[in-house]
Amino acid sequence: MIDNTALLQELLSQGQIAMANAPFLSKAPAPMPAHWNFDRVEGMLLGLAVGDALGYPTEAVLPSDRLERSGEIRDYCPNPHANFRRVGVCSDDTQMAFWTLQNLLADGGLLPQHVAEEFTRHPIFGIGSTVRDFIRAYKNEGKTWEQAGQPSAGNGAVMRIAPVLIPHLRRPTAALWADAALAGMITHNDPASNACCVAFIHLLWECLRRQDIPEPMWWLDTFTEAASQLEGRTEYAPRIPDHSYQGPLWKFVDQEVRRAITEQPSTLEACEGWHSGAYLLETMPCVLYILARYGHDPEEAVVRAVNDTKDNDTVAAIVGAAVGALHGKAGLPSRWIEGLLGRTGSDDDGRVFDLIDQARRVFGEVG
Ligand SMILES: [Mg+2]
């Protein structure tokens, strides 16, 4: 089993990873309960892929325009990449998450250099500017994987981070946090992104373990518990006009989502207020508020993410991973799973399902 704890400590001490060192990083996560079932992990991975596929055709459209144009989206739209059939087609979120999983399987754990290389090897659909800059730095400027990550607080690392927890299911150690941080920094080496990657892995891990439905505030508290220790002193500002906030992402998210949970605006109203784009100060409040409101109802959680946010494929991929981890594959509508082509490229239909089967065989049996 690969253990990246020492590598993370080395990068922290050399200032090569933009993140704070904290006691959180040396604490092993709690083990999965007895009679735990890999169905939860399958739900997490499929939730990510269906969220991405439901959102991708209307990515970056403002929610009010989308509603006017498409009505409420609850199923796959006719897709030009699949002869206009109503099927689920992947974008970057699914591609990069499942290429990560493919490398975890091949290497028996996370070797960041292999994952970095994988990201530069294929066409990426709906690619973000940060990943494009990372590829240029790695491929054209000859930077190493430790140097090529960009100082960007975009959501492009958090969206693909979920699979890194899979090799840790059987014997959880603090090396889980190292993998989350190192896998994230490959493309986005930024304190908010790195802290969000570790904090979201913490949230997913706790979803996988839970036997009941959490209270609304649990989602926020669980995220903040990790993110507040790891982000360090930062000065982010939201892009919302006339919003005077300046400081760490975690604090902004905490104050905004805590207020929303108390005041209960609709998810559309709340997400429009935060702008719901690819900037983590927009993505994370939307994700955590949708989970707080609809974490008990996986279909509605994903539907709200797809309809009520602008960067909807990524918000839905992140929300989908979380509700899938909590409710398992059986909690996701079967029509979404049946309609998913399962591609990670332009014509490798079924690849997603193959990788999930392999993950179950290699890393799945717990206890
Ligand atoms: Mg996408």
Side-chain angles (χ1 to χ4, degrees):
M1 172 82 199
I2 296 167
D3 185 332
N4 285 313
T5 314
L7 174 56
L8 174 63
Q9 284 304 318
E10 191 187 321
L11 294 179
L12 281 165
S13 66
Q14 293 167 350
Q16 286 201 77
I17 180 166
M19 192 174 79
N21 204 349
F24 186 89
L25 295 174
S26 51
K27 219 178 71 185
M32 291 298 143
H35 311 298
W36 181 84
N37 195 314
F38 193 78
D39 181 68
R40 296 288 197 96
V41 175
E42 205 168 332
M44 175 186 81
L45 293 168
L46 289 171
L48 188 161
V50 299
D52 175 28
L54 285 161
Y56 184 35
T58 62
E59 182 187 14
V61 179
L62 283 175
S64 48
D65 296 345
R66 183 189 295 124
L67 184 64
E68 210 167 291
R69 208 185 292 175
S70 316
E72 175 151 287
I73 299 167
R74 304 192 73 93
D75 288 291
Y76 299 121
C77 305
N79 198 296
H81 304 290
N83 299 320
F84 294 92
R85 285 180 292 150
R86 291 181 168 272
V87 289
V89 175
C90 70
S91 79
D92 53 353
D93 315 69
T94 304
Q95 292 182 288
M96 298 178 84
F98 282 84
W99 293 334
T100 302
L101 178 56
Q102 178 187 316
N103 276 270
L104 296 171
L105 285 161
D107 294 331
L110 179 76
L111 293 179
Q113 194 188 331
H114 287 180
V115 175
E117 273 168 29
E118 192 75 46
F119 290 165
T120 64
R121 236 187 308 230
H122 319 263
I124 298 179
F125 310 136
I127 190 171
S129 58
T130 302
V131 172
R132 190 173 285 125
D133 291 345
F134 151 76
I135 292 172
R136 187 179 309 121
Y138 189 84
K139 249 170 117 166
N140 306 353
E141 294 163 17
K143 296 208 169 140
T144 64
W145 77 267
E146 297 98 323
Q147 301 163 338
Q150 303 294 306
S152 159
N155 59 19
V158 181
M159 73 182 189
R160 61 170 170 80
I161 204 70
V164 304
L165 60 75
I166 295 173
H168 298 273
L169 292 167
R170 248 181 262 169
R171 275 179 297 279
T173 67
L176 171 65
W177 316 129
D179 283 359
L182 298 178
M185 76 173 269
I186 292 171
T187 54
H188 295 60
N189 193 1
D190 166 275
S193 177
N194 290 328
C196 282
C197 285
V198 179
F200 187 58
I201 284 293
H202 171 51
L203 183 75
L204 288 174
W205 186 271
E206 293 306 317
C207 285
L208 291 171
R209 293 182 61 238
R210 275 195 85 106
Q211 308 289 325
D212 59 356
I213 305 298
E215 293 298 309
M217 212 58 95
W218 177 85
W219 299 95
L220 178 63
D221 288 338
T222 304
F223 173 82
T224 303
E225 182 191 354
S228 62
Q229 290 191 43
L230 298 170
E231 190 177 335
R233 275 191 221 170
T234 57
E235 294 289 333
Y236 295 96
R239 293 189 291 196
I240 307 163
D242 305 321
H243 203 304
S244 61
Y245 181 86
Q246 195 164 351
L249 166 135
W250 74 264
K251 211 170 194 171
F252 177 75
V253 170
D254 191 74
Q255 108 194 1
E256 291 290 321
V257 178
R258 203 165 291 277
R259 189 172 62 224
I261 292 172
T262 310
E263 294 176 2
Q264 298 273 304
S266 70
T267 46
L268 176 65
E269 199 184 327
C271 295
E272 283 208 302
W274 295 314
H275 284 200
S276 67
Y279 183 31
L280 283 169
L281 267 76
E282 302 176 9
T283 301
M284 291 319 292
C286 298
V287 164
L288 291 164
Y289 186 51
I290 290 169
L291 290 170
R293 286 293 298 273
Y294 297 103
H296 61 282
D297 183 344
E299 175 172 352
E300 200 56 27
V302 173
V303 165
R304 297 279 50 93
V306 168
N307 288 279
D308 298 348
T309 70
K310 182 166 172 242
D311 191 14
N312 64 340
D313 61 333
T314 295
V315 176
I318 299 172
V319 165
V323 292
L326 183 63
H327 297 268
K329 180 187 178 186
L332 297 170
S334 53
R335 67 182 196 281
W336 288 353
I337 296 169
E338 285 154 16
L340 187 71
L341 292 183
R343 291 178 185 170
T344 65
S346 53
D347 59 0
D348 60 341
D349 292 19
R351 178 71 178 148
V352 157
F353 301 105
D354 287 347
L355 286 167
I356 292 174
D357 286 346
Q358 282 181 48
R360 181 189 286 272
R361 282 200 301 277
V362 175
F363 299 120
E365 303 311 318
V366 175

